[in-house]
Structures are given as C-alpha cells and as structure tokens.
Amino acid sequence: MSFTSKYNSLVEAIPDRPYYRIFAFPEESYWNAVSTEDTRILNILHKPPNKRRAGFGVTGLWEQNVDQFEKGIKGRNITGGKITLLKDGYFEVQCPINIQFQRGWGSPQFAIPKSVKWLYPYVVIEFPVSFMRLVKAIYDESGINSDVFIQQNYYNITGYALPEGPPTYPTFGAFLDERGVYEKKSPIHSIQWAGYNFNPDHVAYGLVRDVYAKFGLVDARAIPAFDEKGNFILI
C-alpha cells in the first residue's frame, strides 16, 4: 500500500475533528520484514524501551483486544489512540487530539481561558520522541538497515494555541493572545528522512521544531524538554 492510499484512508475517516498521526516506513522494505507474531516484537510493542514511567505519547500496545491480521498487528495505545504495525515495516500511531493532548490538563498557574483551544507542550514533544524510540527498537530487532521516512500530521487544528516554554515556566500560557496560534486551514505536515542508524531523539526534535515553527515559535528557547544537542531530557 502506498503512502498516498494510507493518507487518503485516514483523511476520509476524520473529516472534521482534530487529530494527530505519525508514521514511519523503511525506504527498502519487503514482505515480512517485521515478524509481528514474534514474541520479541510483541514485547517491544507492549513495553516500549526507554519509556518514561509517567510518559506521554506512544506508551505501549494494550495487551487486550490486539488484532493479528494477514498484513500485521493493530490495537489500542495504552494512553489513547491506535497503533498499527505492518509486516513490511510500516508503523503508525493515530490519536484524537482531545484524548492525550488536552484531556486531564487544567490551566497552570497562569490561567488559560477555557475558551482557548491549546496543546499541552510535553505531549506535542513526547509523541514523536516515544514513537521514534519505538521505531528504532522495532527496526533494530528486525534487522532493518535502510533509511527511514517519517511523517507527522496535525489535522483540523485551526485556532489552536501551543504555549511556548515548559508548563513550569512562570509565564507559561501568558501570551496565547499574541503568539503561538495556528491560523491556517490546512493540516500541519512535518517530514523527516532518517539514516538507518538514526538517533531517535534527534529525529523527533526535527519534527517538533517544525511544528513549533508552524505555530510561529521559531526560537529554540520556546521548545522545552530538549538540550542544545537535540536530546530529550524530560525525566
């Protein structure tokens, strides 16, 4: 199945609601590149390595209601959304934005009006970090050593705000009426190519940096949880 057909099937499924999607695909692939029935692969999916104890993003494939089918495996992400891994190496996570990106997060010390639709920075950041770490683990275990194509999408988020800096910062959320609002009608598409021996944090940082830029936040200081080398440092 081509990238285009996968993309079209998702757009048809979510025509009018905020949604997040990230996927990866090895440049050189073949049928059964990833053995989705293999216990080692299943263990990686159920208990992702290098996952924070209270982390966000791709937190693991829920062990109940897993669907093994001819082309791969799919099921529920523990903290919300869907995980799909195909035997040709295609790996995808989808998540309604109201599940992980907002639910349960009240306004911090600088009150954000309830009328403002906003994205929690740590979730925006840790989704691609956790995803890329999982991609790296799965591909390494499967012996995939080609370059990797990665795409991240935000759909239907016109008018959403992304507060700059960490939620612990004294002025967090104080300038949402001035900057950090996505005004365009089109989705956000962030694309990265990674070499076969990629650093997952660095790839994720490139995706995050592009998203922040689409919100008009181009200063590296606006992005929390990474060091100056692009390593994820949230513990």
Side-chain angles (χ1 to χ4, degrees), residues 16-209:
D16 59 1
R17 54 181 172 144
Y19 219 86
Y20 174 81
R21 178 201 193 200
I22 187 169
F23 68 87
F25 193 87
E27 183 180 27
E28 298 177 12
S29 185
Y30 54 90
W31 175 249
N32 210 29
V34 178
S35 178
T36 55
E37 301 95 348
D38 191 305
T39 301
R40 293 169 297 179
I41 297 297
L42 292 174
N43 286 340
I44 292 172
L45 286 171
H46 292 314
K47 298 178 180 179
N50 301 313
K51 182 184 74 172
R52 291 195 311 122
R53 183 175 181 180
F56 306 107
V58 191
T59 51
L61 183 66
W62 192 260
E63 295 193 33
Q64 288 79 18
N65 301 319
V66 172
D67 181 15
Q68 287 274 8
F69 59 107
E70 180 183 2
K71 294 184 178 180
I73 187 172
K74 59 184 176 180
R76 174 187 169 192
N77 181 33
I78 290 173
T79 47
K82 299 177 181 178
I83 292 176
T84 301
L85 174 62
L86 302 185
K87 293 181 179 180
D88 62 5
Y90 180 87
F91 185 48
E92 176 187 88
V93 177
Q94 306 176 16
C95 182
I97 282 178
N98 65 344
I99 297 292
Q100 283 205 64
F101 288 81
Q102 293 181 303
R103 190 176 67 184
W105 295 107
S107 300
Q109 60 266 39
F110 271 82
I112 298 176
K114 292 182 179 180
S115 60
V116 176
K117 298 176 291 185
W118 62 288
L119 304 177
Y120 191 69
Y122 286 161
V123 183
V124 171
I125 289 166
E126 198 164 4
F127 237 114
V129 169
S130 58
F131 178 81
M132 290 310 307
R133 288 180 174 182
L134 198 48
V135 169
K136 177 70 171 172
I138 291 170
Y139 286 8
D140 282 355
E141 182 63 44
S142 301
I144 294 174
N145 57 5
S146 73
D147 291 351
V148 181
F149 176 84
I150 307 103
Q151 182 168 317
Q152 176 179 249
N153 307 311
Y154 283 85
Y155 300 96
N156 304 311
I157 59 167
T158 303
Y160 273 73
L162 178 58
E164 58 184 309
T168 55
Y169 196 68
T171 58
F172 179 78
F175 305 106
L176 289 185
D177 58 340
E178 300 176 19
R179 57 181 180 267
V181 178
Y182 188 71
E183 303 288 2
K184 294 183 179 180
K185 301 291 185 182
S186 57
I188 291 177
H189 300 304
S190 302
I191 293 174
Q192 292 277 303
W193 276 98
Y196 74 93
N197 194 28
F198 64 87
N199 181 311
D201 288 11
H202 295 176
V203 177
Y205 181 69
L207 295 167
V208 169
R209 185 176 54 193

